[in-house]
């Protein structure tokens, strides 16, 4: 079976420094000259009898199939190819997740309440979304709900805790209009992804599509739009066949285990890698190191009898002798890789703590701390650097540590440094939205809807947001954003129903 993305990788394969390939000509000439000379036997004077000449010859008359020059030329050829910089993928921005941003478009209609997939199509779809969030940890995900109208439930976020309560509140009864408007959901999802600096994908979780939607999907596939995948939430084979017949769309059927989750995640990442290859803003990843390892293995043939190169043994012995006696067990890596290169290898293996210790580059060290979950340390390290990306990293770290106001200040700093940075503007709006939501929820609690306690923190008026006042007796209010989200879990459906109705009314005007 051909691995996912292999064909796409092969189509963009090239050399970063192709002029190095010119050195293959002298290498080939060397092989032709030395190999030809070695193959010619020494001439025998005619004055010596043939039977005596054979006795005087040393070595076998048969030609050796492999000679020292063959391995030497092969090693040189591999090193030349490695120096040319073969590549088939790009290096992602360290401040951008290595997985694609995703918009999940969930169909919320009465047909999704059928129980051919237990406990129902809709509930199983919700469970699968949560499993996908776990599989794609750290990736941005937005949620769109659609029936007769389409609505953004949650903007792109890396925090599943923000998305989960809203996902659980989705039900056909909260949708303002019956029907299935896939076209509206597709347009809304495309608008969400258009604000991102990195390529993303759209994932529809539906049980069927209308005949009128096939033309919409065909037109979408022909344009320069975000790729669309379908996660089929039904046992209806006729609907599945209709989906599978669409050209340019991948369809994954729901399974009782996690195979479908893994397959969807792979498809999304394959889409990201294919789109990233066309992003001229990112540098190509030099893959020459993969050719260096076989070159080292072939060099071991030089230690065969008659092939040994004494000067190589001397150099190797000198290198071992000069190494400090206190070198660690893995100190051999220091001979070949810089600390930043070792840090990158640890980072790609998801050993973020080790990567943070190895990196000397402050941006990568801060990003490793961010991935490790040490958001305060990452924010502090980002704050010492004077670049837009550093301000973005500081803001994201503060946002994940629930420090919303400092995060807003960091994103404002990023926008001031680069007013054209769409990602900074988007994150600034998102941080303000989260802060507005948290403070609005607390204000609603302060009015008595959830009870007010003795030492509760309240916001007494619109102008006094962010200032704390003491309230009389009662139960203590939650202190973190996550606790605040839990207090409104039971009211999420009502909140979404009201918001969707207002959006539908504005759209009808």
């Amino acid at each position: 079976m051909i691995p996912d993305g292999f064909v796409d990788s092969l189509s963009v394969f090239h050399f970063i420094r192709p002029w190095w390939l010119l050195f293959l000509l002298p290498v080939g000439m060397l092989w032709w000259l030395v190999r030809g000379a070695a193959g010619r036997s020494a001439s025998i004077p005619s004055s010596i009898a043939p039977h005596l000449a054979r006795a005087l010859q040393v070595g076998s008359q048969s030609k050796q199939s492999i000679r020292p020059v063959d391995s030497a030329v092969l090693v040189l050829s591999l090193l030349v190819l490695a120096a040319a910089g073969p590549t088939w993928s790009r290096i992602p921005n360290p401040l951008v997740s290595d997985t694609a941003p995703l918009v999940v478009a969930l169909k919320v209609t009465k047909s999704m309440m059928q129980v051919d997939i237990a406990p129902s199509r809709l509930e199983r779809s919700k469970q699968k979304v949560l499993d996908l969030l776990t599989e794609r940890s750290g990736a941005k995900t937005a949620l769109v709900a659609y029936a007769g109208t389409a609505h953004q439930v949650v903007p792109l976020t890396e925090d599943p805790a923000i998305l989960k309560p809203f996902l659980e509140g989705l039900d056909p009864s909260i949708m303002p209009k019956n029907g299935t408007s896939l076209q509206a959901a597709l347009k809304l999802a495309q608008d969400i992804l258009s604000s991102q600096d990195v390529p993303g994908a759209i994932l529809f979780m539906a049980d069927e599509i209308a005949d009128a939607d096939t033309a919409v999907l065909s037109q979408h596939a022909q344009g320069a739009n975000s790729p669309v995948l379908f996660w089929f939430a039904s046992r209806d084979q006729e609907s599945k066949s209709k989906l599978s017949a669409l050209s340019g769309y991948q369809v994954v059927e729901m399974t009782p285990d996690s195979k479908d989750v893994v397959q969807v995640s792979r498809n999304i990442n394959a889409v990201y890698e294919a789109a990233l290859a066309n992003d001229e803003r990112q540098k190509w990843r030099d893959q020459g190191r993969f050719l260096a390892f076989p070159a080292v293995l072939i060099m071991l043939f030089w230690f065969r009898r008659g092939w040994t190169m004494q000067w190589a043994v001397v150099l190797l012995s000198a290198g071992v002798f000069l190494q400090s006696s206190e070198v660690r067990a893995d100190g051999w890596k220091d001979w070949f890789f810089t600390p930043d290169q070792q840090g990158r290898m640890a980072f790609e293996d998801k050993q973020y703590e080790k990567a943070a210790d190895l990196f000397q580059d402050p941006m990568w060290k801060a990003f490793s701390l961010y991935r490790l979950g040490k958001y305060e340390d990452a924010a502090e390290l980002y704050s010492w650097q004077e670049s837009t990306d550093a301000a973005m990293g500081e803001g994201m770290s503060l946002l994940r540590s629930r420090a919303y106001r400092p995060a807003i200040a960091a994103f404002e700093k990023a926008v001031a440094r680069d007013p054209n940075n769409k990602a900074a503007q988007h994150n600034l709006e998102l941080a303000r939205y989260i802060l507005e939501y948290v403070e609005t929820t607390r204000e609603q609690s302060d009015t008595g809807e959830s009870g007010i306690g003795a030492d509760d923190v309240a916001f007494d008026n619109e102008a006094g947001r962010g200032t704390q006042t003491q309230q009389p007796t009662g139960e203590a209010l939650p202190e973190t954003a996550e606790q605040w989200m839990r207090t409104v879990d039971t009211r999420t459906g009502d909140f979404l129903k009201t918001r969707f109705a207002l959006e539908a009314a504005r759209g009808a005007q």
Side-chain angles (χ1 to χ4, degrees):
M1 179 180 293
I2 299 177
D4 295 329
F6 176 79
V7 176
D8 293 331
S9 298
L10 191 62
S11 65
V12 296
F13 176 85
H14 66 282
F15 291 95
I16 301 175
R17 299 172 292 274
W19 56 87
W20 273 91
L21 299 177
L22 296 175
F23 285 95
L24 290 176
L25 295 176
V27 170
M29 184 65 68
L30 175 67
W31 177 84
W32 184 77
L33 293 175
V34 176
R35 180 73 176 185
R40 293 191 295 268
S41 59
S43 59
I44 303 174
S46 57
S47 57
I48 300 179
H51 66 283
L52 294 177
R54 288 193 296 270
L56 293 174
Q57 283 184 320
V58 177
S60 174
Q61 292 288 339
S62 61
K63 294 183 179 180
Q64 289 181 290
S65 59
I66 299 178
R67 295 181 179 274
V69 66
D70 298 331
S71 63
V73 168
L74 181 57
V75 168
L76 290 175
S77 300
L78 289 173
L79 294 179
V80 168
L81 293 174
T87 182
W88 53 86
S89 62
R90 292 186 185 270
I91 302 175
N93 188 316
L95 288 178
V96 177
S97 177
D98 54 0
T99 50
L102 176 69
V103 177
V104 177
L106 177 61
K107 185 180 178 182
V108 187
T109 62
K110 292 182 179 179
S111 68
M112 290 289 286
M113 301 303 293
Q114 295 186 32
V115 295
D116 55 340
I117 297 181
S120 70
R121 296 176 180 178
L122 182 58
E123 290 303 317
R124 176 57 66 87
S125 297
K126 293 178 181 179
Q127 295 170 5
K128 291 295 185 179
V129 170
L130 295 176
D131 292 341
L132 183 63
L133 292 176
T134 302
E135 179 74 17
R136 286 169 31 89
S137 177
K140 291 183 178 180
T141 306
L143 179 62
V144 169
Y146 74 98
T149 55
H151 306 272
Q152 177 179 277
V153 182
V154 177
L156 286 168
T157 176
E158 298 177 0
D159 193 349
I162 295 177
L163 192 145
K164 183 178 179 180
F166 291 97
L167 180 67
E168 293 174 347
L170 292 177
D171 185 84
S173 62
I174 72 173
M175 304 304 292
K177 185 178 180 180
N178 294 327
T180 305
S181 182
L182 183 143
Q183 182 177 6
L186 183 61
K187 182 180 184 303
L188 179 57
Q190 184 63 54
D191 291 342
I192 294 173
L193 291 177
S194 63
S195 63
Q196 298 298 298
D197 291 335
V198 292
I202 302 171
L203 174 64
F204 274 92
M205 306 197 71
D207 54 352
E208 59 183 3
I209 61 170
D211 293 335
D213 293 327
T214 56
V216 174
L217 292 170
S218 298
Q219 184 178 1
H220 179 87
Q222 293 173 2
N225 299 306
S226 299
V228 176
L229 302 89
F230 281 92
W231 206 342
F232 188 61
S234 173
R235 301 298 184 199
D236 186 349
Q237 294 302 316
E238 182 178 351
S239 297
K240 180 185 176 183
S241 300
K242 187 187 298 183
L243 280 173
S244 301
L246 292 173
S247 177
Y249 293 93
Q250 301 180 37
V251 181
V252 177
E253 189 172 2
M254 284 189 180
T255 62
D257 53 20
S258 61
K259 291 181 180 179
D260 56 340
V261 179
V262 175
Q263 183 61 45
V264 169
S265 180
R266 286 179 178 175
N267 291 346
I268 295 170
N269 288 335
V271 164
Y272 170 75
E273 292 292 341
L276 187 65
N278 298 321
D279 189 352
E280 298 298 334
R281 296 170 299 177
Q282 309 299 336
K283 295 181 179 179
W284 289 100
R285 190 195 305 273
D286 191 337
Q287 306 285 10
R289 64 184 185 277
F290 291 112
L291 297 175
F293 293 115
V296 172
L297 292 177
I298 295 173
M299 288 176 65
L300 296 177
F301 283 99
W302 287 351
F303 292 90
R304 293 180 58 189
R305 182 178 180 182
W307 289 31
T308 305
M309 301 176 67
Q310 289 82 356
W311 57 270
V313 176
V314 173
L315 289 179
L316 181 61
S317 302
V320 174
F321 177 77
L322 293 175
Q323 288 295 316
S324 171
S325 59
E326 298 180 358
V327 172
R328 298 174 301 172
D330 60 345
W332 64 270
K333 293 183 179 179
D334 297 333
W335 301 353
F336 305 100
F337 304 105
T338 67
D340 283 337
Q341 290 172 330
Q342 296 179 48
R344 184 59 189 268
M345 288 187 287
F347 186 90
E348 291 178 348
D349 291 338
K350 300 186 184 301
Q351 300 177 14
Y352 301 124
E353 185 171 4
K354 181 179 179 181
D357 292 336
L358 289 170
F359 274 125
Q360 294 181 348
D361 185 293
M363 290 290 288
W364 277 104
K365 180 181 286 289
F367 189 50
S368 300
L369 292 171
Y370 175 86
R371 282 298 186 87
L372 190 60
K374 296 183 177 181
Y375 303 121
E376 293 83 358
D377 295 338
E380 182 179 0
L381 188 55
Y382 277 127
S383 66
W384 286 94
Q385 303 170 60
E386 299 180 357
S387 67
T388 304
D389 287 343
M392 286 277 290
E394 180 186 1
M396 288 189 289
S397 300
L398 292 170
L399 198 64
R400 294 299 295 269
S401 62
R402 314 290 186 183
Y404 299 116
R405 291 187 181 277
I408 291 174
F411 289 131
E412 288 175 342
K413 182 167 55 176
V415 172
R417 290 175 179 175
D418 184 4
N420 297 322
N421 192 312
K422 293 182 180 180
Q425 296 171 0
H426 171 76
N427 286 348
L428 176 58
E429 294 175 2
L430 178 62
R432 287 173 175 170
Y433 173 85
I434 294 174
L435 179 62
E436 176 74 15
Y437 178 83
V438 171
E439 292 193 336
T440 300
T441 306
R442 298 185 71 171
E443 288 174 354
Q444 292 173 352
S445 300
D446 293 339
T447 61
E449 296 180 14
S450 299
I452 298 179
D455 299 321
D456 292 347
V457 178
F459 301 98
D460 51 349
N461 52 55
E462 184 70 19
R465 284 191 173 188
T467 60
Q468 300 179 357
T469 59
Q470 296 295 321
Q471 298 292 329
T473 61
E475 181 183 359
L477 291 177
E479 297 179 354
T480 67
E482 185 174 358
Q483 290 172 321
W484 281 108
M485 296 296 290
R486 292 198 187 105
T487 65
V488 298
D489 281 355
T490 57
R491 301 194 300 275
T492 302
D494 296 334
F495 168 74
L496 291 176
K497 183 177 182 179
T498 302
R499 180 159 70 85
F500 291 173
L502 291 173
E503 291 175 353
R506 285 197 297 266
Q509 294 176 354

